[in-house]
Amino acid sequence: MAQQNTLHLRGGGTSVLVDRTTPGVPAIVHWGPDLGDLADDVLDDIARGVRPQRVSGGLDETGRLTLLPQEAFGWQGTPALLGSRLSGGTAGSDFSSALVMTALEATASALRLTAQDPATRLRLDLEVDVTPTGLVAVRATLTNEGDADYEVQDLGLTLPLPASAREVADTTGRHLRERHPQRHPLSVGRYVRESRRGRPGSDATLLLLAGEPGFGFERGLVHGVHLAWSGNHSLSVERSQNAPSALRAAELLAPGEVVLRPGASYSTPVAFGSWGRGLNELSSRFHEHLRRRPQHPSADRPVTLNTWEAVYFEQDLAHLTRLADLAARVGVERFVLDDGWFSSRRDDTAGLGDWTVSPEVWPDGLAPLVDHVTGLGMQFGLWVEPEMVNPDSDLARAHPDWILQARGVWPASARQQQVLDLSNEEAFDHILRALDALLGEYAISYLKWDHNRDLVEGGSTVTGRSAVHENTLAVYRLMDELKRRHPGLEIESCASGGSRVDLGVIEHTDRVWASDTNDPLERLTIQKYTGLLLPPELIGAHIGAPHAHTTGRHHTLPFRAGVALFGHLGVEWDLASASADELGDLTAWISLYREWRDDIATGALVHADLADDTMDLRGVVARDGSRALFVYAQTASAQSHPTGRLTFPGLDAAATYRVEPLAHPASATGVGQSPLGWRDGVVSTGAALHEIGLQAPVLLPETLAVITVTRVGEATP
Ligand code: GLA
């Protein structure tokens, strides 16, 4: 197979065609829909058919967008590799590599190639995999084969876009408002989204997307790239006049951060590319990929109560045991004690770093609460923020040099805290020992692992260099080691809400906290776009108090609960303040979630493209297609009156379904002045439900209806 000129990698409905005749290293000439089984000569003709001509004003051989675009072979856009020698002759030499493929192995879905350059004495190993769910995973390893140090400034992974990709979309945001979409035309030039925050950040775009203008969740060819990495990174899309447009993903390295000694290597994180006819398809490739991992959490995600918005720092055993009693009564299965249980941590100004139970707040330790919670049949979880330290802590006083810093002074403070240098082995061991002791002493099966500030000037006092890269790897190691020592331990990735959501951290954790806002109106957008990357069972979604603490808005329980359904459901509300009716309704919502959670965790998540932006229709379709659950939310006053139609995506066009609004516990069945035609249910086909749809119930703004869809048979031809 390695003898062919054109390789055809396939998997999960994706084809990747690789022309190995391009200068230097091969080029992907197609990444997208599966092209079927193609004969070798046809493959070669396809590749020959897209070779560019030489043109006036250009180089004599037009540069190609290879897997490793290099200036040496005429590439004049962003090169794959930037770096140079630091010593051994002229500093700054070997700045231009001419890596040429020297070995290639390919299977039906993967290739491994080695490229070497005898002049610069560099070697690059590249792995390209088309996964069984149709993602493309790419990773590069650069090795210094010379006898002097080589600094890697930038090593990017490139994926080509089809000519139809003319519009870019990404997400941005801030604390309490993560992942809101933005769009613009893909014009000539380079559009870059970076994180220099030492974590992806609240403004992170999980994916950088480019597609046919107007692409939506159901329609339009769209491609996207994500970097599986929790540190600094750069995602970009570039359009030029001389070559196909391309997506690029790279770790963002600080000056001097990666210097390869002779014989040493640097590996990039894995860049994942996905495509789809609409974002539903693009994201399902990620969801199904994650679900196939051996460590993927089981489908019956335990309903969680988190104490943060219930009590904040006011930790009191009597109040918390009462909260646990109520939680168990409404159907909660995991009880998580949030910030404030340790050392001098009575507010957010002190104590981080001192991971011992506060004798002041917990004179008998955590055992009375842990025993009470586990005695009620619930799991016990605990909040920690292992990478952080308050200057007002015993740890910071004892080891000021364990704090990430440059210039001999601590960096600008954020939330009154600094960041520990976990690449310093002593600091790492200290934190590992402290957490290990806690997990050994108490029946803690879940850690809410927080990370509440951006890194700035993230240098190590041990090396004197930027240590963001090493710290990113160190936190993965710390998580893995704790899990190894405490089998069954689950970890949630929280970072001031949703500031650390990526496929790097999710390899070491079991869910993410999408945002610190529990306001369901905000959550609709946050969860929709976090769901581009992660399936719902990995996204924590909590039912907050009636009055949202972060926005001041007031919402009904059906709106709060209905929005939280398509996630890993939890409660973050002081249930001692809830009425008996509210507790009864909450119980019903939790049991609705429990009835559907297996489908939520294994089925297809779909969003409808509707003409009216105030209408939000999302659902999950069970894996076997037998049923589906939809939530229709009215986010503001509808444009039409009566409201427009709901068209249902994701159903089998040929099957017949019974569709009905769920009366209980979803009370919002509408305020129209005559009854909804399908109030008592209708039977229709998947095709008709998608193409024609159903009249949407007239809802008040910020209310929702839950709709069940049950397959009742196949359509007659
Ligand atoms: C962060 C988290 C919150 C909460 C607080 C505790 O802001 O995102 O959920 O745990 O810290 O201090």
Side-chain angles (χ1 to χ4, degrees):
M1 189 164 226
Q3 295 313 308
Q4 287 166 226
N5 279 341
T6 314
L7 303 173
H8 190 189
L9 314 181
R10 297 170 71 194
T14 296
S15 274
V16 170
L17 241 62
V18 180
D19 179 355
R20 47 169 302 190
T21 67
T22 47
V25 298
I28 294 179
V29 293
H30 166 79
W31 160 41
D34 190 2
L35 301 174
D37 207 5
L38 297 173
D40 290 353
D41 52 342
V42 174
L43 289 171
D44 289 347
D45 275 5
I46 293 173
R48 198 169 59 240
V50 297
R51 271 181 210 154
Q53 289 176 277
R54 178 160 72 108
V55 287
S56 63
L59 301 179
D60 285 346
E61 184 156 10
T62 303
R64 298 292 304 271
L65 179 68
T66 66
L67 280 161
L68 209 66
Q70 298 172 85
E71 209 177 312
F73 300 107
W75 182 250
Q76 295 180 296
T78 307
L81 174 64
L82 288 174
S84 69
R85 293 280 160 200
L86 287 185
S87 58
T90 317
S93 65
D94 292 346
F95 67 93
S96 178
S97 62
L99 291 152
V100 175
M101 185 166 73
T102 52
L104 173 69
E105 279 175 39
T107 67
S109 61
L111 69 79
R112 302 281 175 268
L113 71 80
T114 301
Q116 284 169 296
D117 177 12
T120 56
R121 288 149 299 155
L122 294 172
R123 166 194 168 121
L124 190 130
D125 292 280
L126 192 74
E127 301 159 36
V128 180
D129 288 278
V130 178
T131 71
T133 70
L135 294 173
V136 180
V138 191
R139 182 191 183 109
T141 299
L142 184 76
T143 304
N144 177 10
E145 294 191 326
D147 45 22
D149 293 354
Y150 178 88
E151 180 184 357
V152 184
Q153 289 171 10
D154 183 23
L155 178 53
L157 303 159
T158 302
L159 287 167
L161 286 166
S164 60
R166 301 295 298 274
E167 186 169 278
V168 178
D170 59 342
T171 65
T172 182
R174 60 163 170 87
H175 183 225
L176 307 173
R177 194 176 188 273
E178 295 86 340
R179 281 172 279 292
H180 279 246
Q182 56 180 8
R183 282 184 182 239
H184 64 265
L186 174 54
S187 48
V188 169
R190 186 163 178 238
Y191 175 67
V192 189
R193 290 299 315 277
E194 289 178 345
S195 169
R196 296 173 184 276
R197 300 171 183 275
R199 57 181 186 173
S202 54
D203 65 334
T205 186
L206 308 186
L207 284 153
L208 184 57
L209 303 160
E212 291 174 356
F215 68 84
F217 278 81
E218 298 186 66
R219 301 178 183 89
L221 183 64
V222 52
H223 286 66
V225 71
H226 168 81
L227 191 71
W229 185 243
S230 311
N232 292 338
H233 65 272
S234 164
L235 298 180
S236 58
V237 57
E238 186 165 12
R239 181 176 166 197
S240 81
Q241 263 119 354
N242 318 109
S245 302
L247 296 165
R248 184 180 193 272
E251 182 181 4
L252 193 65
L253 300 171
E257 184 159 27
V258 174
V259 174
L260 299 179
R261 307 262 174 246
S265 298
Y266 162 75
S267 287
T268 67
V270 177
F272 284 100
S274 185
W275 69 276
R277 300 212 183 269
L279 295 168
N280 287 334
E281 187 184 10
L282 177 142
S283 54
S284 76
R285 298 187 191 286
F286 284 109
H287 298 178
E288 294 310 311
H289 171 77
L290 292 166
R291 287 171 173 170
R292 284 169 185 232
R293 300 169 309 151
Q295 82 271 30
H296 194 71
S298 65
D300 50 349
R301 301 282 67 220
V303 178
T304 298
L305 181 135
N306 184 289
T307 62
W308 180 239
E309 286 198 355
V311 302
Y312 293 102
F313 285 105
E314 302 301 312
Q315 297 195 351
D316 167 73
L317 178 61
H319 191 104
L320 289 169
T321 48
R322 164 113 181 96
L323 189 57
D325 290 340
L326 291 168
R329 207 197 314 152
V330 298
V332 166
E333 297 154 312
R334 172 185 282 160
F335 184 95
V336 181
L337 182 65
D338 211 282
D339 195 357
W341 56 268
F342 52 98
S343 66
S344 57
R345 186 78 170 172
R346 300 294 75 77
D347 56 32
D348 65 9
T349 62
L352 286 176
D354 301 337
W355 300 108
T356 50
V357 178
S358 161
E360 189 191 330
V361 183
W362 297 97
D364 300 315
L366 292 178
L369 182 64
V370 178
D371 293 347
H372 189 81
V373 165
T374 52
L376 289 164
M378 294 186 290
Q379 299 174 24
F380 185 83
L382 193 65
W383 180 96
V384 289
E385 196 177 359
E387 295 144 90
M388 297 293 163
V389 61
N390 284 117
D392 185 0
S393 67
D394 293 342
L395 186 65
R397 280 183 285 271
H399 300 285
D401 55 318
W402 286 5
I403 289 172
L404 283 172
Q405 55 192 283
R407 303 179 296 111
V409 289
W410 288 352
S413 130
R415 209 193 187 200
Q416 295 84 233
Q417 63 197 59
Q418 295 289 351
V419 189
L420 283 176
D421 176 14
L422 293 182
S423 71
N424 175 333
E425 273 172 40
E426 285 179 36
F428 183 97
D429 289 345
H430 176 88
I431 295 296
L432 173 63
R433 267 200 307 276
L435 297 180
D436 185 40
L438 274 169
L439 293 169
E441 182 172 358
Y442 299 109
I444 298 167
S445 52
Y446 180 85
L447 290 177
K448 176 178 174 182
W449 189 299
D450 218 329
H451 181 286
N452 277 319
R453 64 159 293 172
D454 290 335
L455 273 57
V456 293
E457 296 192 301
S460 168
T461 60
V462 179
T463 62
R465 291 192 184 152
S466 174
V468 177
H469 173 82
E470 287 302 327
N471 270 269
T472 308
L473 295 174
V475 74
Y476 294 163
R477 266 200 319 278
L478 184 58
M479 289 167 166
D480 290 350
E481 182 56 20
L482 288 169
K483 284 190 160 203
R484 194 188 64 75
R485 294 187 188 185
H486 303 277
L489 175 70
E490 286 196 12
I491 299 178
E492 170 177 55
S493 172
C494 174
S496 323
S499 291
R500 188 153 66 185
V501 176
D502 61 83
L503 295 191
V505 83
I506 214 68
E507 282 305 292
H508 312 275
T509 56
D510 303 278
R511 76 168 209 174
V512 301
W513 184 227
S515 178
D516 272 351
T517 187
N518 290 313
D519 177 329
L521 192 60
E522 304 288 337
R523 277 280 181 155
L524 276 170
T525 306
I526 294 167
Q527 291 169 200
K528 182 173 184 174
Y529 289 92
T530 305
L532 284 182
L533 187 69
L534 297 184
E537 69 274 18
L538 296 184
I539 302 176
H542 291 178
I543 302 170
H547 170 263
H549 294 196
T550 50
T551 60
R553 290 194 192 105
H554 194 278
H555 286 115
T556 62
L557 180 57
F559 195 62
R560 279 140 55 216
V563 171
L565 272 185
F566 294 140
H568 176 188
L569 186 84
V571 176
E572 198 155 331
W573 174 13
D574 186 0
L575 296 179
S577 68
S579 68
D581 282 353
E582 283 176 318
L583 291 175
D585 286 351
L586 181 60
T587 310
W589 278 101
I590 289 176
S591 74
L592 178 71
Y593 171 75
R594 286 163 63 159
E595 190 191 314
W596 281 88
R597 67 178 157 193
D598 188 60
D599 292 317
I600 292 167
T602 57
L605 176 71
V606 288
H607 292 273
D609 290 334
L610 301 179
D612 181 340
D613 287 344
T614 69
M615 298 166 69
D616 183 308
L617 180 67
R618 60 186 66 190
V620 284
V621 182
R623 212 173 180 83
D624 65 2
S626 61
R627 63 179 194 161
L629 184 71
F630 282 88
V631 164
Y632 160 51
Q634 187 69 55
T635 59
S637 304
Q639 288 160 14
S640 358
H641 204 49
T643 324
R645 287 188 190 161
L646 300 177
T647 48
F648 293 83
L651 302 174
D652 175 357
T656 48
Y657 296 93
R658 179 173 176 79
V659 186
E660 54 194 328
L662 194 73
H664 183 78
S667 51
T669 47
V671 292
Q673 295 186 352
S674 63
L676 188 66
W678 53 284
R679 183 186 54 179
D680 299 321
V682 281
V683 173
S684 184
T685 66
L689 287 166
H690 188 238
E691 301 308 323
I692 306 170
L694 298 175
Q695 176 66 44
V698 180
L699 297 184
L700 292 175
E702 300 177 30
T703 64
L704 59 74
V706 178
I707 299 162
T708 59
V709 178
T710 314
R711 192 172 58 200
V712 290
E714 300 304 315
T716 42

